[in-house]
Amino acid sequence: MTIEFIWQLPTSGDGRYGDAGQTRRGERTASSRPPFTEGVSDPRGDRFNFLDHLHQIARAADLAGFDGIQIQNDLEGDESWIVAGYLARSSRRLKLLTEFEASRGSAVYAAKNAVSFQRFTGGRFAWQISQGGDAALRRRHGDYAADSERLPRIGEFVEVARGVLTQSPFSFKGQFFEVLDGGFNGPLANHPVPLIYLSGNTPEALRLSARSADVHILDAAPAEELKASVATLQGLAAVQGRRIAFGLRIDVLARETEDEAVHDAQRFLAQSGRAVGSTDPVVGPNLWAGFATAQTGAAASLVGSYGQVAERLTKYADIGISSFVLAAIPHFEEAYRIGEQVLPVVRSRIATQLSKAA
Amino acid sequence: MTIDIFWRIPTHGEPSSHRSRKPWRGDWFPGNDNLTKPGLSGGEDGTSYIDYLAEIARAAEISGFQGGLIPSFPSTDEPWVISAFLARETKTFRFMIPFQPGFLNPVVAARKTASLQRATGGRALYNIITGGGGPQQLWWGDSVAHDDRYARTTEFLDVVRGVWNGGPFSYQGKFYQVEDAGLPDPLSAEEFPEIYFSGSSDAALASASKHADYYLSWLEPFDALRDKFNRVKERTDVLGRKIQCAVRVDIVARPTEEEAWEEIRRGFDNIDPAALARFQGTGERSESVGAARQRDFRPTTINSYKDLIIEPNVWSGFSLLRGGQTQGIVGSYEQVAERLDDLVRLGADAFILASTPHLEEAYRVGEEVLPLVRGRPSGSAVLRAVG
């Protein structure tokens, strides 16, 4: 399995430093204070908003050698499918890993929209279907499904979408979705089903991934701990006669030296109002837990020199991770840094290992 | 109010003229699902049909159209996707997105719309369609009955409007519920999209009167259309909400009337006899009242294209030349502009025009016909036709 590096696109805002919620580059709202003094003219007017900056981040990921972008389903930000389409024509090869919830509406309609994405991008559209927040948050978004119904609903969503994308006629009547003699014909037929990325740590989530996912994304944890999850899930998939790939959602803070990285990490914590606490954030080699912001959403971050971070990522590849969904604040500048300083090292180490193994 | 004139994006693909179905631009082809060498799509250089659609959108905005309707059918690409893809490479083109409320969670729809407004600088519009019912509706995975679907449309728009400016908004409907919902800042600062509403049944009119800005009809014989618009405006006036009317109409405009009809004649002579037989027959019925009205205006015997001329400059065979609506306007540039002004006098406030091929014809119509349309100068009273 080839390794892919996917860069996160922060759809509700980014940070210059640690205060990630505070900055939406390009955005002007009526209430926000003009950035320049009265003595300096500002040519921008209201001609830009944060989407222009998201566009720059996507271009940065493209130019810096990432294989894809993950377009977050952040309910405080812009809607992921619109962002995906808005960026699609500005990159020639990035996979558009678009996150959403199965509460968004008809699975047939989602599949039909996906066909247009695949036609217009040469098959670069991919789905990350997430479970969403707690019940109160989901009610705010018109979703009254019970907690226990979330995973079965994702299962049906995938089944219906795959069905209409690969068969015609296709009929299905489930608890959440229904279609009669569906399926796409003519030029809409036979386009690749978006690769499906799922996640979750419960036994139910693992069983769903075994049945329905192309890639199961694991939360960041020490590599040794993830080994067991990989083995368990691959076993469940084998029972279904399937093999699935594994992803890792992890943040990275990489600098020329480890000292610099640790210094910046501590400053980052201080700036985001979280003093370096009494509990040691370091939970593994170069791995800090409780460090990422709500905006990036990672369970843990790699903090270290370029070489150290590359080494740790290689280690994850060794235990079977092939999709790295990475993020760092600010996403624009860090896309270049990670793309230039870390990815080439990881890629060459993995290539060397493969050639030795061969 | 002045008249807004839109164009259409041919999501079906299209032939390069009204005269013949070949060559076909794009990879969709009515009656031929196995087009082996699609034009303008699927090229080895990575081009796809969106590249051609981008050309049309830009031609339409450069030649003065407001924007365009982006039709959605089971066989077409999807307007939400097309709009997002073309957001950055258009400047003034407004994306009119048809969709059925049953397909999207209304809160998700509100976020999608606000994001599209942000991506385009406020150039998104809705064309709310509620669906023709029958097997087609189940194909989309929707089994709600006809009149219930309009109730759902009303609820859907209640929720989208309710959450739009940030809320908190709670709603307990038959189809939708939300609790403390609202768009986040800065999405909540966007303008709500104008709503074009389609549907000819009484249930549709009741729903339209609550939420629509424009009631959208296909072209029908002028007297029928006048009655329909009067009925819509009376109905919505009673409910206290002013609604405008819009007409979708295909046109063939040429320097002279003779040239325009010659275009139609050649197209008609190239029609597959089987297609003509289907056109005259009953065809597959849906629950759509609008589609039934279109059939009612059709003659029963057709020996020549002239048998389909139902009033001056109006030809009712357009669906034979390409998919879509039946009635359209044929004539010289002056005549087409005059007929459009006739429609303004009987109550039209906006138009969605189309002609094949949509790319070159956007320039022709924008340059030759639109400058001749008198429309309704700003400030003049809205005339209600009385016979």
Side-chain angles (χ1 to χ4, degrees), chain B residues 364-377:
Chain B
R364 184 205 296 272
V365 175
E367 287 164 358
E368 302 287 358
V369 178
L370 297 198
L372 303 177
V373 177
R374 296 180 60 226
R376 187 183 300 125

Side-chain angles (χ1 to χ4, degrees), chain B residues 66-326:
Chain B
Q66 289 279 328
L69 174 69
I70 310 170
S72 163
F73 291 99
S75 51
T76 67
D77 282 307
E78 274 300 313
W80 285 106
V81 182
I82 291 167
S83 305
F85 270 63
L86 299 184
R88 276 189 77 84
E89 57 197 287
T90 48
K91 290 181 180 171
T92 60
F93 188 92
R94 299 170 70 198
F95 299 93
M96 191 184 291
I97 300 175
F99 69 103
Q100 303 194 32
F103 301 166
L104 285 172
N105 166 337
V107 185
V108 172
R111 284 184 63 226
K112 277 176 86 77
T113 308
S115 286
L116 187 58
Q117 292 290 51
R118 285 161 53 71
T120 59
R123 292 187 277 126
L125 299 86
Y126 288 165
N127 172 21
I128 298 289
I129 43 181
T130 302
Q136 196 62 264
Q137 213 47 37
L138 289 164
W139 181 91
W140 290 99
D142 182 9
S143 59
V144 174
H146 185 276
D147 283 11
D148 264 4
R149 286 205 307 277
Y150 281 102
R152 181 176 59 184
T153 292
T154 306
E155 284 194 10
F156 176 90
L157 292 170
D158 286 346
V159 175
V160 176
R161 278 195 200 277
V163 303
W164 189 261
N165 291 121
F169 174 77
S170 296
Y171 189 84
Q172 286 294 322
K174 180 175 169 191
F175 299 96
Y176 302 110
Q177 299 85 39
V178 292
E179 190 177 306
D180 294 334
L183 285 182
D185 175 57
L187 279 68
S188 60
E190 291 297 321
E191 292 284 327
F192 194 78
E194 277 188 339
I195 296 178
Y196 280 64
F197 200 97
S198 304
S200 296
S201 66
D202 286 342
L205 290 180
S207 183
S209 66
K210 184 166 184 192
H211 284 296
D213 298 299
Y214 288 86
Y215 178 81
L216 178 59
S217 175
W218 287 331
L219 181 66
E220 294 182 356
F222 284 28
D223 287 340
L225 198 59
R226 176 187 292 113
D227 292 346
K228 188 174 179 180
F229 284 171
N230 284 340
R231 191 159 60 94
V232 169
K233 292 191 177 184
E234 276 164 23
R235 183 81 178 258
T236 52
D237 282 356
V238 167
L239 289 158
R241 198 159 176 285
K242 293 285 178 201
I243 191 167
Q244 316 253 48
C245 289
V247 186
R248 280 184 69 173
V249 52
D250 281 27
I251 60 179
V252 173
R254 292 292 181 272
T256 65
E257 181 175 13
E258 291 70 29
E259 287 170 273
W261 286 116
E262 176 63 10
E263 198 69 18
I264 293 293
R265 186 192 65 76
R266 290 188 187 214
F268 186 84
D269 289 348
N270 281 327
I271 292 166
D272 174 11
L276 189 58
R278 278 197 303 276
F279 181 78
Q280 288 177 277
T282 52
E284 188 175 296
R285 298 290 174 137
S286 84
E287 292 173 33
S288 166
V289 176
R293 284 176 67 96
Q294 292 262 307
R295 275 194 304 275
D296 291 345
F297 301 130
R298 202 175 282 168
T300 48
T301 312
I302 307 169
N303 297 314
S304 137
Y305 78 93
K306 290 181 181 169
D307 293 331
L308 291 166
I309 301 174
I310 58 171
E311 56 189 298
N313 301 113
V314 176
W315 193 64
S316 74
F318 273 87
S319 58
L320 287 163
L321 304 185
R322 63 180 306 290
Q325 72 173 81
T326 307

Side-chain angles (χ1 to χ4, degrees), chain A residues 11-12 24 27-29 31 49-52 55 72-90 96 103-110 112-117 119-121 124 136-144 164 168 173 177-188 191, chain B residues 27-29 32-34 41 46-51 53-54 72-82 84-89 97-100 102-109 111-120 135 138-143 163 171-172 177-182 184-187 190:
Chain A
T11 47
S12 77
R24 293 192 203 230
E27 193 79 43
R28 278 301 179 76
T29 59
S31 57
N49 62 25
F50 187 57
L51 289 171
D52 292 292
H55 185 260
Q72 278 184 316
N73 174 49
D74 185 327
L75 300 176
E76 296 302 310
D78 281 298
E79 199 271 335
S80 56
W81 288 56
I82 293 293
V83 174
Y86 173 80
L87 301 171
R89 276 169 76 74
S90 300
L96 304 165
S103 60
R104 76 190 314 278
S106 150
V108 174
Y109 194 55
K112 189 162 185 296
N113 279 267
V115 169
S116 289
F117 267 97
R119 281 162 53 77
F120 298 162
T121 64
R124 292 188 280 129
L137 179 62
R138 284 184 285 117
R139 283 198 299 276
R140 282 179 52 201
H141 293 271
D143 177 13
Y144 278 64
V164 295
S168 180
K173 195 172 171 73
F177 301 103
E178 179 181 5
V179 58
L180 180 65
D181 293 336
F184 305 120
N185 298 308
L188 301 194
H191 290 279
Chain B
D27 48 7
W28 192 85
F29 196 126
N32 181 1
D33 288 342
N34 295 305
S41 186
T47 55
S48 75
Y49 192 51
I50 190 71
D51 296 304
L53 298 184
S72 163
F73 291 99
S75 51
T76 67
D77 282 307
E78 274 300 313
W80 285 106
V81 182
I82 291 167
F85 270 63
L86 299 184
R88 276 189 77 84
E89 57 197 287
I97 300 175
F99 69 103
Q100 303 194 32
F103 301 166
L104 285 172
N105 166 337
V107 185
V108 172
R111 284 184 63 226
K112 277 176 86 77
T113 308
S115 286
L116 187 58
Q117 292 290 51
R118 285 161 53 71
T120 59
L138 289 164
W139 181 91
W140 290 99
D142 182 9
S143 59
V163 303
Y171 189 84
Q172 286 294 322
Q177 299 85 39
V178 292
E179 190 177 306
D180 294 334
D185 175 57
L187 279 68
E190 291 297 321

